[in-house]
Amino acid sequence: MTRVRIIAIGMLVAFALASLAYPALLISSHAFGYSAGARVTECHYRPSSGSRTSSGTTRCDGTWTAPGGEPRRGHISGVDDDDVSREVPVRVGLLGARAGNPAATPGFVIGVGWFTVVYGGTGLLLWRGRARRKAAEARFLAVPGGTFLRARPARVTTLDGGPHLTLRRSEGPRPARGGPAPLPRTDRPTPFRSPAGIGTGRGEFGTAHGPDERPRFHLSLFDDEDHEPELHVLDLAGTTRAVVQRSARHPARFRFVSADGEPLGEARANRLHSRITVTDTEGREVVTLRAGTRSWLVRLDPNVPSRLDEAIGAFALHIGRLLL
């Protein structure tokens, strides 16, 4: 979900820059160019290439004097055949000499119009999507029973913002990559290239602190360029207690195993990666995570197995990184 959002935002920004480039050049040329009186010397009609109709454009040339007294000659925009042999006021800037108001040109109107339609429509869709997400969050929180938390990068809080788990970088023992009981080669997802700056090629170590600020457990995240990410949960002495491994990329699936390779549970995401369900070894749904506006909502069942508790906390602290 994070990668899809990054791509979508990048496309919107690129389209905004493209649609506003010509209007911006028009305005800057008019604002920062110099004023001059230009005489239109000739105009030529240019039919559109390949057109079967009489459509085309008229190009007019003329002369004017630069501020230093140097005579100039070139194309003049914003004039037509009726202006031949007349002197018209122009502004000369990045786009050459132009007469009249630049905001009245077709290029300016089309560019600003596209920008208004596309981004006005996008804003409306985002507003409606936000309203739907809030309604979905309300329905999610209305489910009776369980404990509700909110997961953000490196931080899990209660719904009112109180601390539950906080991840801080630290130095400590780091386990060897691979974890217990690695998946068979045929079941491993194909290697992928992590986005620039994400993979470090070695364990990223940190310590999870509880609401009383006391250390609870250590985490070591392996997220390099050549492997699927996996998360090691260690006790305070540095002994591995559990490992979270991604077993499928889309829709994402994760498996939770103990230090000796015994299965603890499994997590499955829907196709949009907006909802993740964690089940124990008996197939019971014990944790549900739902993507919110800027965080994940987490519902913990009262019967979460104690052996799975720390692994789920680690999973919530690194949910964004594990889904990349």
Side-chain angles (χ1 to χ4, degrees), residues 138-211:
R139 291 192 299 269
F140 182 80
L141 295 173
V143 177
T147 302
F148 291 95
L149 302 170
R150 193 177 294 275
R152 298 178 177 87
R155 187 160 55 102
V156 178
T157 66
T158 59
L159 293 181
D160 59 4
H164 180 75
L165 282 176
T166 304
L167 182 64
R168 298 189 179 96
R169 288 181 179 270
S170 60
E171 295 295 331
R174 304 189 180 196
R177 188 189 167 90
L183 293 173
R185 177 66 63 179
T186 55
D187 294 337
R188 275 286 187 186
T190 55
F192 71 101
R193 305 292 292 182
S194 298
I198 296 297
T200 60
R202 58 189 178 91
E204 181 178 304
F205 198 83
T207 301
H209 297 256

Side-chain angles (χ1 to χ4, degrees), residues 11-322:
M11 292 179 64
L12 285 174
V13 171
F15 188 86
L17 294 176
S19 60
L20 292 180
Y22 185 69
L25 285 174
L26 282 175
I27 295 299
S28 63
S29 181
H30 183 80
F32 301 106
Y34 61 86
S35 299
R39 179 170 294 278
V40 182
T41 57
E42 56 183 351
C43 291
H44 300 283
Y45 176 76
R46 292 185 174 184
S48 300
S49 59
S51 175
R52 298 180 180 180
T53 65
S54 59
S55 62
T57 59
T58 299
R59 176 186 173 89
C60 296
D61 297 321
T63 60
W64 64 90
T65 302
E70 181 181 356
R72 297 290 179 86
R73 179 181 181 82
H75 171 62
I76 302 176
S77 302
V79 295
D80 54 26
D81 294 332
D82 295 335
D83 297 309
V84 174
S85 299
R86 293 176 52 192
E87 184 171 309
V88 295
V90 296
R91 297 282 290 186
V92 185
L94 294 173
L95 298 180
R98 173 170 295 276
N101 184 1
T105 61
F108 183 90
V109 174
I110 292 173
V112 174
W114 268 110
F115 180 85
T116 303
V117 170
V118 172
Y119 286 89
T122 301
L124 178 61
L125 291 176
L126 291 176
W127 177 78
R128 294 186 61 183
R130 184 181 179 88
R132 285 196 298 266
R133 284 194 299 271
K134 286 187 175 181
E137 288 183 11
R139 291 192 299 269
F140 182 80
L141 295 173
V143 177
T147 302
F148 291 95
L149 302 170
R150 193 177 294 275
R152 298 178 177 87
R155 187 160 55 102
V156 178
T157 66
T158 59
L159 293 181
D160 59 4
H164 180 75
L165 282 176
T166 304
L167 182 64
R168 298 189 179 96
R169 288 181 179 270
S170 60
E171 295 295 331
R174 304 189 180 196
R177 188 189 167 90
L183 293 173
R185 177 66 63 179
T186 55
D187 294 337
R188 275 286 187 186
T190 55
F192 71 101
R193 305 292 292 182
S194 298
I198 296 297
T200 60
R202 58 189 178 91
E204 181 178 304
F205 198 83
T207 301
H209 297 256
D212 56 359
E213 294 297 324
R214 296 178 61 182
R216 291 277 304 278
F217 51 84
H218 297 309
L219 292 178
S220 187
L221 174 67
F222 290 91
D223 183 18
D224 57 33
E225 296 179 340
D226 302 316
H227 300 83
E228 292 288 335
E230 66 183 35
L231 183 62
H232 292 245
V233 185
L234 303 87
D235 61 22
L236 297 181
T239 303
T240 300
R241 296 174 59 89
V243 177
V244 181
Q245 293 177 323
R246 186 164 70 182
S247 55
R249 190 174 181 190
H250 189 81
R253 291 179 60 182
F254 303 87
R255 70 170 192 162
F256 303 83
V257 295
S258 64
D260 56 5
E262 181 183 357
L264 299 177
E266 185 181 42
R268 294 171 178 257
N270 61 4
R271 295 188 63 85
L272 295 177
H273 285 183
S274 60
R275 187 183 182 93
I276 300 175
T277 302
V278 181
T279 56
D280 60 13
T281 54
E282 298 180 4
R284 295 176 302 183
E285 184 176 312
V286 293
V287 180
T288 306
L289 298 95
R290 181 176 183 83
T293 305
R294 295 183 179 179
S295 60
W296 285 80
L297 290 175
V298 184
R299 179 185 179 275
L300 301 175
D301 189 84
N303 300 317
V304 176
S306 57
R307 296 194 308 164
L308 195 55
D309 184 58
E310 289 183 350
I312 290 174
F315 183 72
L317 287 169
H318 276 300
I319 181 65
R321 296 283 295 274
L322 292 172

